[in-house]
mmCIF file with all atom_site columns, all heavy atoms in Angstrom:
data_model
loop_
_atom_site.group_PDB
_atom_site.id
_atom_site.type_symbol
_atom_site.label_atom_id
_atom_site.label_alt_id
_atom_site.label_comp_id
_atom_site.label_asym_id
_atom_site.label_entity_id
_atom_site.label_seq_id
_atom_site.pdbx_PDB_ins_code
_atom_site.Cartn_x
_atom_site.Cartn_y
_atom_site.Cartn_z
_atom_site.occupancy
_atom_site.B_iso_or_equiv
_atom_site.pdbx_formal_charge
_atom_site.auth_seq_id
_atom_site.auth_comp_id
_atom_site.auth_asym_id
_atom_site.auth_atom_id
_atom_site.pdbx_PDB_model_num
ATOM 1   N N   . GLY A 1 209 ? -12.634 33.166 -5.666  1.00 98.00 ? 209 GLY A N   1
ATOM 2   C CA  . GLY A 1 209 ? -11.591 32.155 -5.781  1.00 98.00 ? 209 GLY A CA  1
ATOM 3   C C   . GLY A 1 209 ? -12.115 30.757 -6.036  1.00 98.00 ? 209 GLY A C   1
ATOM 4   O O   . GLY A 1 209 ? -13.225 30.409 -5.617  1.00 98.00 ? 209 GLY A O   1
ATOM 5   N N   . GLY A 1 210 ? -11.329 29.958 -6.759  1.00 98.00 ? 210 GLY A N   1
ATOM 6   C CA  . GLY A 1 210 ? -11.676 28.551 -6.963  1.00 98.00 ? 210 GLY A CA  1
ATOM 7   C C   . GLY A 1 210 ? -11.609 28.149 -8.414  1.00 98.00 ? 210 GLY A C   1
ATOM 8   O O   . GLY A 1 210 ? -11.792 28.973 -9.317  1.00 98.00 ? 210 GLY A O   1
ATOM 9   N N   . GLU A 1 211 ? -11.345 26.858 -8.603  1.00 98.00 ? 211 GLU A N   1
ATOM 10  C CA  . GLU A 1 211 ? -11.236 26.293 -9.961  1.00 98.00 ? 211 GLU A CA  1
ATOM 11  C C   . GLU A 1 211 ? -12.545 26.485 -10.741 1.00 98.00 ? 211 GLU A C   1
ATOM 12  O O   . GLU A 1 211 ? -12.528 26.862 -11.918 1.00 98.00 ? 211 GLU A O   1
ATOM 13  C CB  . GLU A 1 211 ? -10.918 24.796 -9.828  1.00 98.00 ? 211 GLU A CB  1
ATOM 14  C CG  . GLU A 1 211 ? -10.723 24.081 -11.141 1.00 98.00 ? 211 GLU A CG  1
ATOM 15  C CD  . GLU A 1 211 ? -10.195 22.656 -10.929 1.00 98.00 ? 211 GLU A CD  1
ATOM 16  O OE1 . GLU A 1 211 ? -10.085 22.205 -9.764  1.00 98.00 ? 211 GLU A OE1 1
ATOM 17  O OE2 . GLU A 1 211 ? -9.881  22.006 -11.938 1.00 98.00 ? 211 GLU A OE2 1
ATOM 18  N N   . SER A 1 212 ? -13.675 26.256 -10.070 1.00 98.00 ? 212 SER A N   1
ATOM 19  C CA  . SER A 1 212 ? -14.966 26.359 -10.769 1.00 98.00 ? 212 SER A CA  1
ATOM 20  C C   . SER A 1 212 ? -15.154 27.752 -11.346 1.00 98.00 ? 212 SER A C   1
ATOM 21  O O   . SER A 1 212 ? -15.572 27.903 -12.498 1.00 98.00 ? 212 SER A O   1
ATOM 22  C CB  . SER A 1 212 ? -16.131 26.096 -9.816  1.00 98.00 ? 212 SER A CB  1
ATOM 23  O OG  . SER A 1 212 ? -15.834 25.037 -8.977  1.00 98.00 ? 212 SER A OG  1
ATOM 24  N N   . PHE A 1 213 ? -14.823 28.768 -10.540 1.00 98.00 ? 213 PHE A N   1
ATOM 25  C CA  . PHE A 1 213 ? -15.039 30.147 -10.995 1.00 98.00 ? 213 PHE A CA  1
ATOM 26  C C   . PHE A 1 213 ? -13.992 30.549 -12.043 1.00 98.00 ? 213 PHE A C   1
ATOM 27  O O   . PHE A 1 213 ? -14.279 31.319 -12.950 1.00 98.00 ? 213 PHE A O   1
ATOM 28  C CB  . PHE A 1 213 ? -15.019 31.106 -9.801  1.00 98.00 ? 213 PHE A CB  1
ATOM 29  C CG  . PHE A 1 213 ? -16.079 30.764 -8.797  1.00 98.00 ? 213 PHE A CG  1
ATOM 30  C CD1 . PHE A 1 213 ? -15.739 30.088 -7.632  1.00 98.00 ? 213 PHE A CD1 1
ATOM 31  C CD2 . PHE A 1 213 ? -17.408 31.058 -9.045  1.00 98.00 ? 213 PHE A CD2 1
ATOM 32  C CE1 . PHE A 1 213 ? -16.720 29.725 -6.719  1.00 98.00 ? 213 PHE A CE1 1
ATOM 33  C CE2 . PHE A 1 213 ? -18.400 30.709 -8.135  1.00 98.00 ? 213 PHE A CE2 1
ATOM 34  C CZ  . PHE A 1 213 ? -18.054 30.034 -6.971  1.00 98.00 ? 213 PHE A CZ  1
ATOM 35  N N   . GLY A 1 214 ? -12.784 30.021 -11.897 1.00 98.00 ? 214 GLY A N   1
ATOM 36  C CA  . GLY A 1 214 ? -11.729 30.312 -12.883 1.00 98.00 ? 214 GLY A CA  1
ATOM 37  C C   . GLY A 1 214 ? -12.100 29.749 -14.252 1.00 98.00 ? 214 GLY A C   1
ATOM 38  O O   . GLY A 1 214 ? -11.972 30.425 -15.280 1.00 98.00 ? 214 GLY A O   1
ATOM 39  N N   . LEU A 1 215 ? -12.592 28.502 -14.252 1.00 98.00 ? 215 LEU A N   1
ATOM 40  C CA  . LEU A 1 215 ? -12.988 27.883 -15.535 1.00 98.00 ? 215 LEU A CA  1
ATOM 41  C C   . LEU A 1 215 ? -14.169 28.648 -16.148 1.00 98.00 ? 215 LEU A C   1
ATOM 42  O O   . LEU A 1 215 ? -14.238 28.845 -17.360 1.00 98.00 ? 215 LEU A O   1
ATOM 43  C CB  . LEU A 1 215 ? -13.350 26.407 -15.327 1.00 98.00 ? 215 LEU A CB  1
ATOM 44  C CG  . LEU A 1 215 ? -12.172 25.499 -14.926 1.00 98.00 ? 215 LEU A CG  1
ATOM 45  C CD1 . LEU A 1 215 ? -12.670 24.094 -14.590 1.00 98.00 ? 215 LEU A CD1 1
ATOM 46  C CD2 . LEU A 1 215 ? -11.108 25.435 -16.031 1.00 98.00 ? 215 LEU A CD2 1
ATOM 47  N N   . GLU A 1 216 ? -15.047 29.092 -15.271 1.00 98.00 ? 216 GLU A N   1
ATOM 48  C CA  . GLU A 1 216 ? -16.202 29.884 -15.735 1.00 98.00 ? 216 GLU A CA  1
ATOM 49  C C   . GLU A 1 216 ? -15.733 31.177 -16.395 1.00 98.00 ? 216 GLU A C   1
ATOM 50  O O   . GLU A 1 216 ? -16.241 31.575 -17.437 1.00 98.00 ? 216 GLU A O   1
ATOM 51  C CB  . GLU A 1 216 ? -17.048 30.235 -14.509 1.00 98.00 ? 216 GLU A CB  1
ATOM 52  C CG  . GLU A 1 216 ? -18.537 30.195 -14.724 1.00 98.00 ? 216 GLU A CG  1
ATOM 53  C CD  . GLU A 1 216 ? -19.223 30.400 -13.379 1.00 98.00 ? 216 GLU A CD  1
ATOM 54  O OE1 . GLU A 1 216 ? -19.363 31.561 -12.963 1.00 98.00 ? 216 GLU A OE1 1
ATOM 55  O OE2 . GLU A 1 216 ? -19.597 29.389 -12.738 1.00 98.00 ? 216 GLU A OE2 1
ATOM 56  N N   . ARG A 1 217 ? -14.739 31.816 -15.770 1.00 98.00 ? 217 ARG A N   1
ATOM 57  C CA  . ARG A 1 217 ? -14.240 33.088 -16.317 1.00 98.00 ? 217 ARG A CA  1
ATOM 58  C C   . ARG A 1 217 ? -13.573 32.874 -17.695 1.00 98.00 ? 217 ARG A C   1
ATOM 59  O O   . ARG A 1 217 ? -13.716 33.688 -18.590 1.00 98.00 ? 217 ARG A O   1
ATOM 60  C CB  . ARG A 1 217 ? -13.262 33.748 -15.331 1.00 98.00 ? 217 ARG A CB  1
ATOM 61  C CG  . ARG A 1 217 ? -12.616 35.026 -15.854 1.00 98.00 ? 217 ARG A CG  1
ATOM 62  C CD  . ARG A 1 217 ? -13.626 36.154 -16.076 1.00 98.00 ? 217 ARG A CD  1
ATOM 63  N NE  . ARG A 1 217 ? -13.023 37.270 -16.804 1.00 98.00 ? 217 ARG A NE  1
ATOM 64  C CZ  . ARG A 1 217 ? -13.701 38.264 -17.362 1.00 98.00 ? 217 ARG A CZ  1
ATOM 65  N NH1 . ARG A 1 217 ? -15.018 38.335 -17.271 1.00 98.00 ? 217 ARG A NH1 1
ATOM 66  N NH2 . ARG A 1 217 ? -13.084 39.218 -18.008 1.00 98.00 ? 217 ARG A NH2 1
ATOM 67  N N   . ILE A 1 218 ? -12.874 31.765 -17.863 1.00 98.00 ? 218 ILE A N   1
ATOM 68  C CA  . ILE A 1 218 ? -12.255 31.483 -19.181 1.00 98.00 ? 218 ILE A CA  1
ATOM 69  C C   . ILE A 1 218 ? -13.371 31.428 -20.229 1.00 98.00 ? 218 ILE A C   1
ATOM 70  O O   . ILE A 1 218 ? -13.291 32.044 -21.289 1.00 98.00 ? 218 ILE A O   1
ATOM 71  C CB  . ILE A 1 218 ? -11.483 30.135 -19.181 1.00 98.00 ? 218 ILE A CB  1
ATOM 72  C CG1 . ILE A 1 218 ? -10.321 30.162 -18.202 1.00 98.00 ? 218 ILE A CG1 1
ATOM 73  C CG2 . ILE A 1 218 ? -10.963 29.812 -20.588 1.00 98.00 ? 218 ILE A CG2 1
ATOM 74  C CD1 . ILE A 1 218 ? -9.534  28.836 -18.118 1.00 98.00 ? 218 ILE A CD1 1
ATOM 75  N N   . GLN A 1 219 ? -14.427 30.692 -19.895 1.00 98.00 ? 219 GLN A N   1
ATOM 76  C CA  . GLN A 1 219 ? -15.542 30.538 -20.853 1.00 98.00 ? 219 GLN A CA  1
ATOM 77  C C   . GLN A 1 219 ? -16.204 31.872 -21.142 1.00 98.00 ? 219 GLN A C   1
ATOM 78  O O   . GLN A 1 219 ? -16.493 32.209 -22.286 1.00 98.00 ? 219 GLN A O   1
ATOM 79  C CB  . GLN A 1 219 ? -16.583 29.551 -20.307 1.00 98.00 ? 219 GLN A CB  1
ATOM 80  C CG  . GLN A 1 219 ? -16.109 28.118 -20.248 1.00 98.00 ? 219 GLN A CG  1
ATOM 81  C CD  . GLN A 1 219 ? -15.587 27.608 -21.595 1.00 98.00 ? 219 GLN A CD  1
ATOM 82  O OE1 . GLN A 1 219 ? -16.190 27.827 -22.630 1.00 98.00 ? 219 GLN A OE1 1
ATOM 83  N NE2 . GLN A 1 219 ? -14.433 26.957 -21.588 1.00 98.00 ? 219 GLN A NE2 1
ATOM 84  N N   . GLN A 1 220 ? -16.420 32.617 -20.063 1.00 98.00 ? 220 GLN A N   1
ATOM 85  C CA  . GLN A 1 220 ? -17.122 33.899 -20.197 1.00 98.00 ? 220 GLN A CA  1
ATOM 86  C C   . GLN A 1 220 ? -16.319 34.868 -21.068 1.00 98.00 ? 220 GLN A C   1
ATOM 87  O O   . GLN A 1 220 ? -16.870 35.482 -21.985 1.00 98.00 ? 220 GLN A O   1
ATOM 88  C CB  . GLN A 1 220 ? -17.310 34.476 -18.791 1.00 98.00 ? 220 GLN A CB  1
ATOM 89  C CG  . GLN A 1 220 ? -18.177 35.698 -18.732 1.00 98.00 ? 220 GLN A CG  1
ATOM 90  C CD  . GLN A 1 220 ? -18.055 36.372 -17.372 1.00 98.00 ? 220 GLN A CD  1
ATOM 91  O OE1 . GLN A 1 220 ? -17.051 36.234 -16.664 1.00 98.00 ? 220 GLN A OE1 1
ATOM 92  N NE2 . GLN A 1 220 ? -19.089 37.101 -17.004 1.00 98.00 ? 220 GLN A NE2 1
ATOM 93  N N   . PHE A 1 221 ? -15.031 34.972 -20.790 1.00 98.00 ? 221 PHE A N   1
ATOM 94  C CA  . PHE A 1 221 ? -14.208 35.951 -21.527 1.00 98.00 ? 221 PHE A CA  1
ATOM 95  C C   . PHE A 1 221 ? -14.030 35.547 -22.985 1.00 98.00 ? 221 PHE A C   1
ATOM 96  O O   . PHE A 1 221 ? -14.110 36.373 -23.884 1.00 98.00 ? 221 PHE A O   1
ATOM 97  C CB  . PHE A 1 221 ? -12.835 36.112 -20.847 1.00 98.00 ? 221 PHE A CB  1
ATOM 98  C CG  . PHE A 1 221 ? -11.970 37.137 -21.547 1.00 98.00 ? 221 PHE A CG  1
ATOM 99  C CD1 . PHE A 1 221 ? -12.273 38.488 -21.457 1.00 98.00 ? 221 PHE A CD1 1
ATOM 100 C CD2 . PHE A 1 221 ? -10.872 36.751 -22.304 1.00 98.00 ? 221 PHE A CD2 1
ATOM 101 C CE1 . PHE A 1 221 ? -11.490 39.440 -22.120 1.00 98.00 ? 221 PHE A CE1 1
ATOM 102 C CE2 . PHE A 1 221 ? -10.090 37.685 -22.966 1.00 98.00 ? 221 PHE A CE2 1
ATOM 103 C CZ  . PHE A 1 221 ? -10.402 39.037 -22.873 1.00 98.00 ? 221 PHE A CZ  1
#
Side-chain angles (χ1 to χ4, degrees):
E211 182 171 6
S212 318
F213 301 102
L215 293 174
E216 218 173 82
R217 176 65 191 166
I218 297 178
Q219 291 306 315
Q220 188 193 25
F221 182 71

